[in-house]
Amino acid sequence: MNNKLDISVVVPLYNEAESLPELVAWIDRVAVSHGYAYEVILVDDGSSDGSWEVVESLREKYPAIRGIGFARNYGKSAALYCGFAAAEGEVVITMDADLQDDIEAIDGFLKKYQEGCEVVYGVRSSRATDTAFKRTTAQGFYKLMRLMGTPVIDNHADFRLMSRPALEALSQFGEVNLFLRGIVPMVGFRSGIVEYERHERFAGESKYPLGKMVSFAFDGITSFSTMPIRLITLAGFGIFVVSLLALLIFLVQKLLGYTVQGWATLMGSIWLMGGLQLLALGVLGEYIGKIYMEVKHRPRFVIEQVLDDSP
């Protein structure tokens, strides 16, 4: 399109050396068969398994590849944001490197784009490939995020299309704590959904075990919602009311001459209040920590090396 690439495919990498050759071959095969002009931007997020060396070798065979290597691991959102900034296509499609996202769904993405959608989300049609535990935790993740007021799309990860106007709007979001799954829906514009069947992982292990998923969810919640602080306020108010009622009961018992043992009640109350106070301090600390990181204005990422023929 007038010397501009039709499609930029941005792929964040973190220890994906095994799947890279098949991924790039797959993208090239689909793009050529459909007649797309394309580029693939591979952003290496501080991999330690030789992923960058694989990117270098693949570039010799596929000129459409552009590589960006971070100086260390900055996280998937930072890698995606870097790819957005480097992309030259009319539309940008982001996908994971593990071959679970179905690149054939790009046809559906482009149809939605031609119908006027500036953002198109790839949404899993089912979770048949997941274990029961993974399905349960994933469903819980989306429910929790919505409950806490974080804008997320159910069963959508980072397989999406964004137009140039949507990317320009996204660039105006200046926070260091990037949570793209919540930020992209906040950008606005007309959006659409394309369902696809998610494949089995081609190689390696998931980069999101349970512990990391919990951390990811908490990060998303504290980046977009003050609901946890409000819940602490409500809990404090509730405990205050209960304490007043208990005090009234104890006074009545005292006036009636009853002896109140109270040892278990006293110790239980101390432990309950202590735990609640520590929880409240922890939640408040998370928000203060985010403020601390934002006011430093540190760079989202540092680029160490680039493979690119662009001027």
Side-chain angles (χ1 to χ4, degrees):
M1 291 186 178
N2 299 322
N3 295 323
K4 288 187 69 177
L5 294 166
D6 291 341
I7 302 171
S8 294
V9 182
V10 174
V11 184
L13 309 175
Y14 182 65
N15 294 339
E16 299 286 0
E18 293 181 69
S19 61
L20 265 178
E22 182 63 25
L23 169 73
V24 174
W26 187 28
I27 294 174
D28 180 75
R29 184 166 57 250
V30 171
V32 171
S33 66
H34 289 77
Y36 302 144
Y38 78 101
E39 67 176 358
V40 180
I41 303 175
L42 302 174
V43 185
D44 183 17
D45 186 25
S47 297
S48 58
D49 68 340
S51 291
W52 182 254
E53 288 73 17
V54 176
V55 173
E56 291 177 319
S57 65
L58 287 171
R59 182 170 163 77
E60 298 176 3
K61 182 178 180 181
Y62 301 99
I65 287 180
R66 296 168 60 195
I68 301 174
F70 285 174
R72 64 171 178 83
N73 179 254
Y74 286 90
K76 185 179 180 181
S77 289
L80 287 170
Y81 199 90
C82 176
F84 288 149
E88 298 177 357
E90 178 182 344
V91 298
V92 176
I93 294 172
T94 58
M95 62 187 302
D96 292 339
D98 54 17
L99 280 83
Q100 289 189 285
D101 296 330
D102 186 3
I103 196 173
E104 297 286 353
I106 289 178
D107 265 351
F109 284 5
L110 294 177
K111 287 178 182 177
K112 289 287 186 181
Y113 171 67
Q114 290 165 355
E115 292 171 2
C117 293
E118 302 289 349
V119 181
V120 183
Y121 301 101
V123 173
R124 297 180 62 169
S125 58
S126 72
R127 288 188 170 270
T129 58
D130 290 347
T131 63
F133 178 75
K134 178 66 175 178
R135 282 195 297 272
T136 302
T137 54
Q139 290 168 357
F141 167 79
Y142 290 110
K143 289 179 180 178
L144 177 63
M145 297 295 276
R146 286 197 308 275
L147 181 65
M148 291 295 176
T150 303
V152 292
I153 307 298
D154 278 6
N155 294 316
H156 164 72
D158 290 298
F159 189 31
R160 69 175 72 90
L161 174 149
M162 296 187 71
S163 68
R164 185 56 54 185
L167 287 175
E168 290 174 358
L170 179 65
S171 69
Q172 298 177 37
F173 287 73
E175 57 253 57
V176 173
N177 296 286
L178 292 169
F179 186 77
L180 287 177
R181 295 191 196 182
I183 293 177
V184 173
M186 288 185 66
V187 169
F189 293 101
R190 182 179 172 186
S191 64
I193 287 175
V194 171
E195 292 189 347
Y196 70 99
E197 193 70 33
R198 193 164 171 86
H199 305 302
E200 294 281 356
R201 184 178 179 84
F202 180 79
E205 298 179 353
S206 171
K207 304 303 185 296
Y208 282 92
L210 179 59
K212 196 167 184 179
M213 279 296 294
V214 172
S215 176
F216 182 70
F218 195 70
D219 186 51
I221 291 167
T222 54
S223 293
F224 285 89
S225 174
T226 57
M227 183 64 74
I229 295 178
R230 291 181 181 178
L231 290 176
I232 289 173
T233 303
L234 290 173
F237 179 75
I239 292 174
F240 174 71
V241 171
V242 171
S243 299
L244 288 179
L245 292 175
L247 179 61
L248 180 61
I249 292 172
F250 293 153
L251 287 175
V252 171
Q253 289 180 333
K254 180 69 174 177
L255 292 173
L256 294 176
Y258 294 122
T259 301
V260 180
Q261 299 296 326
W263 174 255
T265 303
L266 177 63
M267 294 305 295
S269 299
I270 291 174
W271 281 101
L272 176 63
M273 292 302 299
L276 181 61
Q277 288 171 350
L278 289 175
L279 174 63
L281 287 173
V283 173
L284 290 173
E286 286 289 331
Y287 282 95
I288 294 170
K290 286 185 180 295
I291 296 171
Y292 173 70
M293 295 305 297
E294 292 291 342
V295 299
K296 282 178 173 292
H297 299 296
R298 288 176 175 172
R300 295 188 178 99
F301 48 81
V302 175
I303 296 174
E304 182 178 17
Q305 46 200 345
V306 176
L307 294 176
D308 190 359
D309 290 334
S310 299

